[in-house]
Amino acid sequence: MAQAETSPDRTRLTGSLRRDSVKKNVAAIHVSGKLTLLQRKLSNVLLLNAYDTLTTAQTHRIDAKTLCLMIGYNSNDMDTLKASLRGLAETVAEWDMLAEDGEHEWGVSALLSYAKLKGGVCEYAYSPALAAKLHDPKVFALINLNIQKRFTSGHALALYENCYRFVRTGSTGWWPLELFRRLMGVDGSAYYEVYKQLNAKIIKPALAEVNRTSNILVTPEVRKQGRAVTDIRFLIRENPQLAMLDIDDGEGLRQGGVYQRLRDLGVQDRLARQWIAEHGEDYVAERLEFVAGQGGVKSPLRYLSAAIKGGYGGRAADPEPPQETVQAAAERALEDEARAAAQAARDSALDAERRARAARMERIREAVAARTPTQRDADRRLFLSRLSDPLERGDFERLGWSSALNARAMAAFWEELVPGLFDGV
């Protein structure tokens, strides 16, 4: 492992000091919490499913069986899927960036604002602020599912995700070890407070799998204060074996004329790439010519979709696709059916939950207002003493009893303090 120059005490680098190590317009979205490998894969599949309508649709839907198939979880055990979704809803995503207007922006949000399983369909949503960041390619990089499937270690996938965000800049920038442990999900473990053990059990195995498995090569560097390691960063470059891994991030397809014709017709990016990857450019081009030659077509896009799926309008029969293509098409067909069933309006259960949450927050504000200044100060100190997560403590210190991040904990605190406060809510 390379070692950079020794530096002054920077064990709590934040804000602009951390951004100095990355180029302009690049930000990091760090996910706190100890996500399992299954949860990390689930998070990436849900994001990919929602990506095209991430900033325009309030909710997203995917067939539960398709979801399990795409994350490699071939089981009918819905309890495990529920537990994984619950974990995502309870996990915090934090961003710290330089916005386009030059102002520093810090934000925090639950990874999923809600999720539910009903009728064999998984419905979920992101907070508007997080959705905007996830949809911005300057801020967040989508993880290729073909790569994701190759990972067998949650720590390796976590390292890959957090490094791949910076693939365009070539470096993650310096991370304090405290932050790195949190990103790897080993914060709070006394064993991994010792860098030698962190390096042997977490960093080296994860590095080996990332460099062996993915489309990037990662090299770590450390910075010391005296003899103690205080910071770590990762230098990132493309894996020269990319072609051998048969991994495509879609950029090659986007350069073709057929892709551009599909986009001009109104086909969304993901569907355009799916059609070309599944059928080939010649096949899709023939159907485009066929549709263009039809007169009086009210909806060319719908007509083209039918021609591609039905296989008519071509000059010759298509060769039989490989089994992998057939399976992929079947998986996508199930997903398309689930998406087609998406409802524009919010689900009534979601509305009820949000109204109840707003009512509880209002009851808390009323209870706080009724306390004396001395009582309010004591209440605040007592509640803060129960918060161990730095993000939760920071959010409460900034927003007080309006902290949405701590809504559940605050409700429990006030129910204990004023029994019956939420009766009727």
Side-chain angles (χ1 to χ4, degrees):
M1 182 176 294
Q3 179 178 324
E5 70 282 359
T6 300
S7 72
D9 185 5
R10 298 174 69 234
T11 57
R12 292 188 177 276
L13 283 178
T14 58
S16 60
L17 290 177
R18 188 165 66 220
R19 287 199 311 275
D20 284 343
S21 58
V22 296
K23 296 181 180 179
K24 185 180 178 182
N25 289 334
V26 175
I29 294 184
H30 296 310
V31 176
S32 68
K34 300 172 178 59
L35 292 182
T36 66
L37 178 63
L38 182 64
Q39 288 172 328
R40 289 188 177 277
K41 290 184 175 182
L42 177 63
S43 174
N44 289 328
V45 170
L46 292 176
L47 177 57
L48 183 65
N49 175 66
Y51 191 77
D52 287 338
T53 58
L54 198 56
T55 58
T56 57
Q58 295 176 333
T59 62
H60 312 281
R61 292 161 64 97
I62 183 172
D63 178 79
K65 290 185 178 179
T66 301
L67 179 59
C68 290
L69 187 64
M70 294 181 71
I71 62 177
Y73 178 67
N74 300 318
S75 172
N76 293 321
D77 178 14
M78 287 294 106
D79 287 340
T80 299
L81 180 60
K82 292 175 185 177
S84 296
L85 289 168
R86 185 183 302 110
L88 296 183
E90 295 173 350
T91 297
V92 170
E94 177 184 358
W95 59 91
D96 196 352
M97 60 181 289
L98 187 67
E100 292 184 357
D101 60 4
E103 293 290 328
H104 175 247
E105 177 182 334
W106 175 90
V108 65
S109 170
L111 203 52
L112 289 181
S113 63
Y114 90 99
K116 75 173 184 179
L117 292 169
K118 182 179 180 181
V121 173
C122 175
E123 181 177 297
Y124 59 100
Y126 299 93
S127 71
L130 181 59
K133 295 293 181 292
L134 295 176
H135 196 261
D136 187 346
K138 297 191 299 296
V139 177
F140 195 84
L142 277 174
I143 301 300
N144 189 300
L145 297 190
N146 289 328
I147 300 173
Q148 174 180 273
K149 291 177 181 178
R150 301 169 184 267
F151 282 94
T152 59
S153 161
H155 293 141
L157 182 55
L159 179 62
Y160 173 74
E161 289 176 352
N162 284 288
C163 287
Y164 190 67
R165 314 298 184 213
F166 298 93
V167 67
R168 291 181 295 275
T169 65
S171 171
T172 61
W174 290 108
W175 288 334
L177 281 186
E178 178 184 359
L179 172 60
F180 178 72
R181 291 188 188 95
R182 181 154 59 90
L183 297 179
M184 293 296 103
V186 296
D187 54 317
S189 169
Y191 182 81
Y192 292 117
E193 289 294 322
V194 179
Y195 177 76
K196 181 179 179 180
Q197 291 162 180
L198 177 70
N199 186 37
K201 299 296 185 179
I202 300 296
I203 298 176
K204 286 185 176 179
L207 275 172
E209 185 167 351
V210 168
N211 291 338
R212 182 180 66 250
T213 301
S214 77
N215 56 344
I216 59 174
L217 294 176
V218 178
T219 304
E221 289 187 344
V222 298
R223 184 154 54 187
K224 291 184 175 182
Q225 182 182 359
R227 299 180 62 183
V229 175
T230 58
D231 303 84
I232 188 169
R233 72 177 175 185
F234 295 89
L235 305 181
I236 308 155
R237 58 189 176 92
E238 291 187 0
N239 189 338
Q241 302 300 316
L242 175 62
M244 294 178 62
L245 291 175
D246 191 27
I247 295 170
D248 178 22
D249 64 0
E251 288 303 318
L253 294 179
R254 292 189 180 97
Q255 304 306 314
V258 173
Y259 170 84
Q260 191 57 53
R261 289 178 65 186
L262 290 171
R263 296 290 282 147
D264 291 343
L265 196 62
V267 180
Q268 292 183 339
D269 169 76
R270 183 173 172 230
L271 184 57
R273 289 185 289 115
Q274 175 185 320
W275 281 348
I276 295 172
E278 184 176 326
H279 300 286
E281 286 194 338
D282 291 344
Y283 178 97
V284 177
E286 287 182 10
R287 273 66 191 176
L288 281 167
E289 294 295 338
F290 172 72
V291 173
Q294 305 302 306
V297 176
K298 295 182 179 180
S299 177
L301 179 55
R302 187 172 299 177
Y303 201 84
L304 174 63
S305 177
I308 289 176
K309 292 180 179 179
Y312 56 86
R315 291 187 293 272
D318 300 305
E320 183 176 349
Q323 182 60 36
E324 293 80 5
T325 300
V326 174
Q327 182 177 352
E331 294 174 9
R332 284 191 289 268
L334 287 173
E335 185 179 346
D336 289 342
E337 290 176 8
R339 187 179 295 106
Q343 298 297 316
R346 296 181 181 181
D347 183 85
S348 60
L350 174 61
D351 287 337
E353 172 57 29
R354 288 182 174 174
R355 286 194 298 270
R357 184 168 55 192
R360 287 193 293 270
M361 294 294 282
E362 182 60 29
R363 292 281 181 90
I364 291 174
R365 282 190 287 269
E366 293 173 355
V368 171
R371 308 281 278 182
T372 67
T374 301
Q375 288 174 325
R376 286 198 291 268
D377 183 62
D379 296 339
R380 183 183 179 90
R381 290 174 181 274
L382 179 58
F383 182 72
L384 266 173
S385 70
R386 299 185 179 185
L387 297 178
S388 58
D389 188 287
L391 292 176
E392 294 174 352
R393 289 180 62 87
D395 198 61
F396 183 77
E397 287 171 347
R398 287 188 310 106
L399 301 175
W401 300 109
S402 297
S403 170
L405 184 62
N406 292 292
R408 183 178 300 177
M410 291 190 310
F413 174 83
W414 281 97
E415 179 64 35
E416 178 183 335
L417 194 64
V418 185
L421 178 63
F422 303 111
D423 287 354
V425 173

